[in-house]
């Protein structure tokens, strides 16, 4: 089927023109079948189970174009942020640029700028990870009515014990909701595909052939015995093998010889240290070839501890790819390999998920290292057959240079004839049992039921039992008894309420647990910890949260330096267990059970100490040297602990008795995730992960924390920090971000800001009679005493007493405190209150202040980028600090304490 015939299915020629440069003129047979027989450009759903590099990605674009042609929305979800970033870049290029101009929004945990747009449905294509889309639907299920197509990439994640339940929950919600968008699942293998087909009403299209043949086999002494994927025929190939060399050097000589023939080689290693050892050995055999640009070397320096060896390897045409590299380093390695500047790339399993590179051969060790469940120390385990096929499938990629139509090779190393035969029987032989996909992960019934209650699908017990009876996921068959038991446990945990008539509703904490994806045990632990906490210290909270099951894969496993215990003692004045016991005295499990072994204590201590330095802005190089820890390994740990801190902050906010901890936990979450102060939130959002943390710190050190201000600079202004191409991209992103902020700011706020700017930025209009010299005492124009009457609190503005709502008073107090405590008076909206609704409350505050007269309209200034300030000079502001410092509201009391600690009095500054 010719690509041009897609116009018969409603696809505009404008789409075809975009694809023409990157695809052929013909659809593959199975892609044409998906369009013709399964109505994929129209109303059809589909589950595609196809080998790697078979054209699934392009089919997703065709299906999305069908929805866009009908002016309907599309959501693409994937398991990894790297895949989401790659897809966003591709789809922005295909669908967002003129003349198409569709709105493509990306949302991950560290790219949240579009979260509000997603909730409002202000997008044409949303690109996100499974957890973000899951949380979105639980809080806003009606959004499904605006979505035409949901694309699941790599849904075989259903077999993952940790993240599979999220994918299963999404399937449950899509199957049970009144609004049912069509679905497209794209997998290389899929557990219980037929059961999912019936559940989601989506036929299964199984593809057997690869467009590029792949030879899977075993190598021994230069003899490559293989079986072809498509034809199933077996054969042999002699590869360049020098038996005269020492045994340890022969594999390297083979890789060197293949590279000299122009082949591009991936080598999957059992561990990161194996990657380094082999890369160094091969680099020593090869003459330096690639020329690294200034931008390349800047990306290499983003991870200081690996920068030296990585630069050496890359200069000799050899790369490494694993989890200890920073995102900038991994991206650079992938780009160099794709451009043909690297002959060989030594990698771990990080490269086996969805990355499309032009490899002609993939060499695989039949073992990997996995962390043990007790000590966390890695132990060698055999690769599953599906894991081998996923790694081998990185070779022989459709449409990429370097293949020239020749078959790719997936090669298992062997060290003896006996091992070669055993590997053949286990992984290659045609009569070997077919690889069984991992079963769908067990989905705890409490989490399933809580999800259904929170999003509104289960209003009564019988609703939940009906969903459970239809669901194909583990444990769903026993409908009533399973659901009743789960409901009882959720009710005891305070997450779900059953009213006298049997209707179900979630508590605020129940909604938080569901959208955050934490288990019932962690929910209970958070409640106990907050009730017992005597004060707040982020390092102690990190140590506590690092023990939770949700943080299992993010713990730092290597033992801390010997001096860590003394560092801890000097930091807290008491040893590790005593410090936690004092703060969480009413939760013995958090102190004894969670730290039952010395290894558990060491891991939690190391995680807390490292992240404490990280969040307080310690230089990245110092952190790496102090803890002998590559920053690339630290970043995913910071990401996970940030998520748990943010969840704890929301948990604290949900109950008045613990709300005093909410602000600090939320702030600690941001600092833990990004390693910069929360005042840089707008800059982090605008740059979207472009710059490493160390460069962000250097920008902040120069006072460049405002995207709007950075947008006005030239690339040359940033020359001392980043290469010119990076500077240009950073400035372009800040400009785009600023334009979005202006576009999304209500016209009333823009008009007020413009009017104020015309009157003179930063100065409130004061009558001439009141203008005195700065050194003299100015009569207060704004006085905040906080005297309450019912739900209102008093302020005096230009001699008039106004009774503000409590929320409005807290916003005004935050602005007034910032005017006195900061150099220029600006405060980010997230420092006033976390979340997305601040604009609404600022509008309410302005409306209440307008009772003081028209001049009050210019009292609050907004820069259009999330920062606000009072336009009064500090001398015109006064507080009743004794009253405010004893106020029952924690937010008000803490602001007053800040002013008192800074030496302020009731008099104007």
């Amino acid at each position: 089927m010719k690509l041009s015939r897609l116009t018969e299915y409603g696809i505009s020629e404008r789409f075809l023109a975009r694809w023409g440069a990157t695809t052929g003129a013909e659809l593959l047979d199975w892609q044409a079948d998906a369009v013709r027989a399964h109505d994929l450009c129209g109303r059809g759903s589909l589950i595609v189970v196809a080998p790697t590099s078979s054209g699934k990605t392009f089919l997703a674009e065709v299906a999305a174009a069908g929805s866009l042609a009908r002016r309907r929305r599309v959501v693409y979800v994937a398991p990894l942020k790297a895949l989401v970033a790659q897809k966003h870049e591709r789809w922005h290029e295909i669908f967002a640029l003129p003349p198409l101009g569709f709105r493509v929004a990306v949302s991950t945990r560290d790219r949240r700028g579009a979260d509000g747009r997603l909730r409002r449905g202000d997008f044409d294509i949303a690109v996100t990870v499974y957890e973000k889309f899951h949380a979105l639907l639980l809080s806003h299920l009606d959004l499904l009515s605006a979505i035409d197509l949901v694309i699941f990439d790599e849904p075989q994640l259903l077999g993952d014990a940790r993240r599979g339940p999220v994918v299963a929950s999404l399937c449950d919600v899509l199957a049970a909701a009144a609004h049912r968008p069509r679905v497209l699942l794209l997998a290389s293998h899929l557990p219980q595909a037929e059961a999912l087909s019936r559940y989601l009403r989506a036929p299964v299209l199984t593809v057997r052939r690869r467009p590029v043949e792949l030879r899977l086999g075993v190598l021994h002494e230069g003899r490559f015995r293989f079986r072809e994927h498509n034809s199933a025929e077996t054969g042999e190939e002699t590869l360049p093998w020098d038996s005269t060399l020492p045994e340890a050097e022969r594999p390297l000589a083979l890789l060197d010889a293949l590279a000299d023939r122009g082949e591009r080689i991936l080598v999957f290693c059992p561990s990161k240290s194996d990657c380094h050892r082999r890369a160094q050995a091969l680099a020593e055999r090869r003459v330096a070839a690639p020329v690294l640009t200034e931008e390349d070397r800047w990306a290499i320096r983003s991870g200081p501890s690996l920068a030296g060896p990585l630069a050496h390897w890359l200069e000799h045409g050899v790369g490494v790819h694993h989890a200890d590299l920073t995102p900038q380093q991994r991206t650079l390695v992938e780009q160099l390999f794709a451009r043909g500047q690297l002959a060989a790339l030594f990698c771990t399993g990080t490269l086996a998920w969805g990355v499309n590179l032009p490899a002609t051969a993939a060499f695989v060790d039949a073992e990997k290292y996995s962390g043990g469940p007790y000590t966390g120390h890695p132990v060698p385990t055999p690769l599953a057959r599906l894991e081998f096929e996923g790694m081998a499938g990185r070779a022989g990629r459709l449409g990429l240079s370097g293949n020239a139509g020749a078959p790719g090779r997936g090669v298992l190393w062997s060290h003896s004839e006996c091992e070669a035969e055993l590997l053949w029987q286990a992984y290659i032989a045609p009569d070997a049992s077919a690889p069984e996909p991992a079963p769908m992960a067990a989905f705890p019934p409490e989490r399933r039921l809580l999800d259904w209650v929170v999003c509104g699908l289960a209003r009564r017990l019988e609703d939940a039992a009906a969903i459970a009876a239809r669901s194909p996921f583990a444990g769903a068959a026993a409908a009533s008894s399973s659901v009743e038991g789960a409901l009882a446990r959720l009710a005891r945990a305070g997450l779900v309420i059953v009213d006298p008539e049997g209707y179900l509703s979630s508590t605020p904490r129940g909604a938080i647990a569901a959208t955050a994806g934490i288990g019932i045990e962690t929910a209970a632990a958070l409640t106990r910890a907050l009730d017992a906490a005597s004060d707040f210290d982020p390092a102690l909270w990190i140590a506590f949260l690092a023990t939770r099951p949700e943080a299992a894969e993010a713990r730092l496993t290597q033992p801390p330096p010997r001096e860590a215990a003394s560092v801890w003692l000097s930091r807290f004045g008491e040893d590790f267990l005593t410090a936690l016991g004092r703060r969480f005295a009413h939760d013995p499990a958090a102190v004894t059970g969670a730290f039952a072994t010395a290894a558990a204590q060491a891991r939690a201590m190391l995680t807390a100490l490292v992240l404490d330095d990280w969040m307080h802005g310690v230089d990245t190089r110092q952190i790496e040297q102090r803890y002998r820890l590559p920053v690339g390994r630290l970043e995913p740990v910071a990401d996970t602990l940030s998520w748990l801190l943010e969840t704890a902050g929301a948990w604290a906010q949900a109950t008045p008795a613990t709300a005093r901890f909410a602000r600090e936990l939320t702030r600690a979450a941001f600092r833990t995730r990004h390693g910069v102060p929360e005042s840089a939130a707008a800059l982090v959002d605008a740059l979207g992960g472009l710059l490493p943390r160390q460069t962000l710190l250097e920008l902040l050190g120069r006072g460049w924390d405002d995207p709007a201000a950075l947008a006005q600079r030239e690339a040359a202004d940033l020359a001392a920090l980043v290469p010119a191409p990076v500077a240009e991209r950073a400035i372009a992103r800040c400009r785009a971000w600023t334009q979005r902020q202006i576009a999304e700011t209500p016209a009333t706020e823009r008009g007020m800001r413009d009017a104020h700017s015309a009157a003179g930025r930063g100065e409130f209009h004061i009558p001439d009679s009141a203008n005195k010299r700065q050194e003299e005492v100015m009569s207060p124009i704004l006085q905040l005493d906080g005297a309450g009457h019912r739900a209102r609190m008093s302020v005096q503005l230009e001699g008039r007493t106004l009774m503000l709502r409590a929320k409005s008073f807290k916003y005004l107090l935050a602005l007034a405190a910032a005017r006195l405590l900061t150099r220029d008076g600006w405060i980010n909206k997230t420092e006033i209150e976390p979340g997305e609704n601040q604009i609404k409350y600022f509008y309410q505050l302005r409306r209440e202040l307008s009772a003081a007269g028209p001049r009050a309209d210019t009292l609050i200034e907004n820069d259009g980028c999330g920062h606000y300030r009072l336009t009064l000079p500090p001398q015109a502001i006064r507080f009743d600090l004794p009253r405010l410092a004893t106020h029952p509201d924690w937010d008000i009391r803490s602001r007053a304490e800040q002013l008192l600690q800074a030496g302020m009095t009731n008099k104007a500054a």
Side-chain angles (χ1 to χ4, degrees):
M1 176 179 175
K2 289 189 177 298
L3 191 67
S4 58
R5 291 195 59 191
L6 288 176
T7 57
E8 300 173 16
Y9 298 87
I11 305 297
S12 167
E13 290 185 358
R14 295 181 185 273
F15 290 103
L16 305 185
R18 277 291 161 79
W19 286 322
T22 56
T23 62
E26 297 273 347
L27 293 176
L28 299 173
D29 290 344
W30 77 266
Q31 292 172 334
D33 186 36
V35 172
R36 289 189 299 232
H38 298 289
D39 192 24
L40 201 62
C41 294
R43 309 290 179 180
S45 292
L46 190 62
I47 297 174
V48 178
V49 183
T52 56
S53 190
S54 56
K56 298 188 292 291
T57 298
F58 180 64
L59 187 71
E61 294 179 9
V62 171
S67 295
L68 295 173
R70 298 195 308 277
R71 302 180 64 249
R72 301 298 306 280
R73 293 171 178 82
V74 177
V75 174
Y76 164 92
V77 289
L80 301 177
K81 289 186 294 184
L83 285 179
V84 167
Q86 189 181 70
K87 187 64 65 177
H88 174 251
E89 183 177 349
R90 163 72 179 174
W91 283 20
H92 183 272
E93 180 182 346
I94 294 294
F95 296 117
L97 298 180
L100 296 181
F102 290 103
R103 300 163 298 171
V104 181
V106 62
S107 176
T108 58
R109 194 179 295 163
D110 54 353
R111 298 183 71 176
R112 303 184 177 190
D115 286 4
R117 292 173 56 197
L118 264 61
R119 281 191 290 272
R120 298 191 300 270
D122 184 18
F123 64 90
D124 297 305
I125 301 176
V127 185
T128 185
V129 291
Y130 280 106
E131 286 79 3
K132 292 283 287 191
F133 187 49
H134 176 251
L136 177 64
L137 289 190
L138 292 191
S139 60
H140 189 11
L141 189 57
D142 283 325
L143 183 63
L144 280 182
S145 63
I147 296 171
D148 181 64
L149 173 66
V150 179
I151 301 170
F152 287 64
D153 203 353
E154 309 286 359
Q156 60 265 31
L157 193 68
L158 278 165
D160 182 84
R162 182 173 64 92
R163 300 180 67 194
V166 174
V167 188
S169 179
L170 279 174
C171 292
D172 280 337
V173 170
L174 291 175
H179 309 296
R180 292 191 61 136
R182 59 198 188 104
V183 296
L184 174 61
L185 280 68
L186 305 171
S188 57
H189 60 275
L190 191 61
Q192 303 180 34
E194 293 299 331
L196 277 175
S197 172
R198 293 189 295 272
Y199 192 44
L200 298 176
R201 303 178 197 172
V204 178
L205 176 58
T206 302
V207 181
R208 306 291 183 189
R209 294 185 61 83
R210 290 177 108 250
V212 178
E213 181 63 88
L214 179 64
R215 292 175 174 176
L216 301 176
V218 181
L219 175 70
H220 178 63
E221 295 292 335
R223 173 175 167 251
F224 177 48
R225 183 186 176 197
F226 62 81
R227 177 171 177 252
E228 292 190 340
H229 176 90
N230 291 340
S231 69
E233 294 180 357
T234 58
E236 289 186 7
E237 181 182 358
T238 300
L239 299 181
W241 188 265
D242 190 346
S243 299
T244 65
L245 293 172
E247 185 175 354
E249 295 183 23
R250 295 171 193 171
L252 291 171
L254 167 64
L255 299 176
D256 197 17
L258 292 176
D260 286 341
R261 292 184 351 192
E263 298 213 27
R264 303 186 197 175
I265 305 160
L266 296 176
V267 184
F268 286 92
C269 304
S271 68
K272 291 170 282 195
S273 60
D274 280 319
C275 291
H276 294 179
R277 177 176 53 80
R278 297 180 190 182
Q280 178 63 27
L282 184 59
E284 290 175 357
R285 301 180 63 95
R286 299 189 61 78
V287 178
V291 177
L292 299 178
T293 66
E294 180 190 0
E295 184 177 352
D296 295 340
R297 294 189 181 279
W298 170 81
I300 292 170
R301 293 193 298 271
S302 65
S305 64
L306 288 174
L310 181 59
H312 172 71
W313 300 330
L314 295 178
E315 287 168 349
H316 287 78
V318 179
V320 298
H321 193 289
H322 53 64
D324 280 4
L325 301 183
T326 66
Q328 290 80 14
Q329 289 172 329
R330 287 196 294 269
T331 298
L332 170 63
V333 169
E334 292 165 13
Q335 290 174 345
L336 291 175
F337 191 84
R339 296 199 297 259
Q341 292 182 256
L342 300 184
L345 181 54
F346 295 89
C347 54
T348 58
T350 57
L351 212 57
W353 278 73
V355 180
N356 206 12
L357 293 175
T360 59
F363 288 81
V364 182
D365 281 271
E367 279 191 336
K368 65 177 180 179
Y369 282 92
S370 302
Y374 299 105
T375 65
H377 296 307
V379 293
T381 55
L383 280 184
R385 185 172 172 187
L386 282 170
E387 288 178 302
F388 163 66
E389 292 186 355
M391 294 174 178
R394 298 301 104 195
R397 308 295 293 179
L398 174 64
L400 295 181
S401 60
N403 296 316
R409 298 189 206 90
V411 185
L412 283 164
W413 300 106
S414 71
H415 303 287
S416 67
E417 289 188 17
C418 179
E419 185 184 26
E421 185 58 34
L422 292 174
L423 292 175
W424 179 269
Q425 293 300 327
Y427 294 95
I428 311 297
D431 57 349
S433 58
E436 286 293 331
M440 287 188 282
F443 194 179
E446 296 87 358
R447 283 192 59 183
R448 299 168 62 223
L449 177 57
L450 184 59
D451 285 355
W452 303 338
V453 172
V454 166
C455 70
L457 289 175
R459 300 186 182 279
R460 300 181 65 91
L461 185 63
E462 46 267 38
D463 298 335
I467 298 172
R470 293 191 300 270
S471 174
F473 304 114
S480 296
S481 60
S482 174
V483 171
E484 288 176 4
L487 178 59
R489 290 188 289 274
L490 289 171
R492 285 197 300 271
L495 304 180
V496 168
I497 297 171
V498 186
D499 74 7
E501 297 182 1
Y503 286 96
L504 311 180
S505 60
S506 70
T507 64
R509 283 184 169 177
I512 294 165
T515 55
I518 61 172
I520 192 170
E521 297 84 2
T522 295
L526 283 177
T527 299
R528 293 194 303 268
L530 284 165
D531 289 344
S534 56
D535 57 14
F536 179 80
D537 190 297
L540 294 173
W541 271 93
I542 287 170
F544 165 69
L545 293 170
T547 67
R548 305 315 312 159
E550 292 83 353
E553 295 187 14
R555 295 171 187 155
L556 296 170
T557 56
Q558 75 272 39
R562 292 182 178 178
E563 64 272 15
S566 61
V567 172
W568 182 277
L569 189 61
S570 65
R571 167 78 169 78
F572 296 101
E574 50 195 359
D575 64 66
F576 180 72
L577 290 182
T578 303
L580 263 74
R582 185 181 301 278
R583 272 70 175 186
F584 305 111
H586 299 147
D587 188 4
V591 180
T592 57
F595 303 108
T597 67
Q601 293 180 34
R603 289 196 299 272
M605 187 188 305
L606 176 62
T607 303
L609 287 173
V610 173
L611 289 180
D612 192 51
D613 281 354
W614 175 264
M615 72 166 63
H616 284 98
V618 175
D619 187 280
T620 303
R621 290 158 293 197
Q622 292 182 25
I623 293 176
E624 288 197 331
Q625 294 167 4
R626 182 177 299 170
Y627 299 102
R628 299 187 288 278
L629 180 73
V631 66
R633 192 184 313 170
L634 174 58
E635 288 177 337
V637 176
D639 187 50
T640 297
L641 269 300
S642 167
W643 155 55
L644 291 172
L645 281 166
E646 188 170 294
T647 302
W651 206 261
Q653 186 68 48
T655 302
T658 60
R660 65 187 186 279
F661 294 118
R663 182 188 298 274
E664 295 299 336
L665 283 162
T666 303
R667 289 176 173 176
F670 179 86
R671 298 198 307 269
T672 299
R673 173 63 191 89
H674 300 287
V676 296
E678 56 270 26
S679 60
L683 185 64
V684 168
D685 184 33
L687 294 175
L690 175 66
L691 303 181
R693 179 237 189 197
Q694 186 60 37
T695 305
L696 285 174
L697 289 175
E698 292 167 354
L699 280 173
L700 298 178
R702 294 171 181 245
W704 296 344
D705 61 350
D706 181 0
L710 202 60
Q712 304 303 317
R713 295 192 172 271
E714 301 296 331
D717 298 333
L718 280 66
L721 300 180
V722 296
V726 179
E728 290 169 359
R729 290 199 294 275
I731 292 170
R733 290 191 182 189
C734 287
R735 287 172 180 166
W737 185 91
T738 303
Q739 290 169 359
R740 287 197 305 271
Q741 295 297 310
I742 293 173
E744 293 172 6
T745 301
T748 54
E749 291 196 12
R750 290 202 305 274
M752 178 185 62
R753 184 177 66 242
D754 295 343
H756 173 70
S757 297
R761 186 176 180 85
E763 292 297 331
F764 185 69
H765 177 72
I766 303 170
D768 290 338
S769 59
N771 279 325
K772 299 183 179 180
R773 295 178 54 83
Q774 290 281 327
E775 293 81 1
E776 297 177 351
V777 176
M778 176 177 286
S779 300
I781 290 177
L782 174 65
Q783 184 161 333
L784 296 93
D785 56 40
H789 178 67
R790 296 183 180 178
R792 300 272 178 168
M793 304 178 69
S794 67
V795 301
Q796 286 77 44
L797 179 61
E798 291 198 310
R800 297 192 60 175
T801 298
L802 306 176
M803 299 302 295
L804 306 182
R805 299 182 187 183
K807 177 78 78 171
S808 298
F809 182 85
K810 287 195 283 188
Y811 271 52
L812 183 59
L813 176 61
L815 292 170
R819 195 71 182 94
L820 272 67
L821 296 176
T822 65
R823 179 170 54 86
D824 53 10
W826 291 101
I827 183 171
N828 189 275
K829 62 182 181 181
T830 58
E831 296 181 65
I832 299 176
E833 184 176 44
E836 301 288 338
N837 295 317
Q838 299 94 336
I839 290 178
K840 177 176 71 175
Y841 294 119
F842 272 116
Y843 175 76
Q844 175 181 292
L845 171 61
R846 288 189 177 102
R847 189 173 58 183
E848 293 179 42
L849 292 176
S850 65
R855 288 181 302 193
D857 288 346
T858 58
L859 182 63
I860 300 172
E861 182 180 14
N862 170 18
D863 71 351
C865 303
H867 292 79
Y868 293 78
R869 72 171 173 182
L870 288 181
T871 55
L872 287 171
Q875 296 83 358
I877 304 171
R878 288 189 183 179
F879 306 86
D880 187 342
L881 290 181
R883 184 194 300 272
L884 297 175
T886 58
H887 197 279
D889 187 284
W890 182 84
D891 284 326
I892 294 174
R893 191 169 64 250
S894 65
R895 295 288 182 193
E897 289 170 355
Q898 282 182 308
L899 291 165
L900 288 170
Q901 290 171 5
M904 302 295 174
T905 67
N906 286 343
K907 297 179 181 180

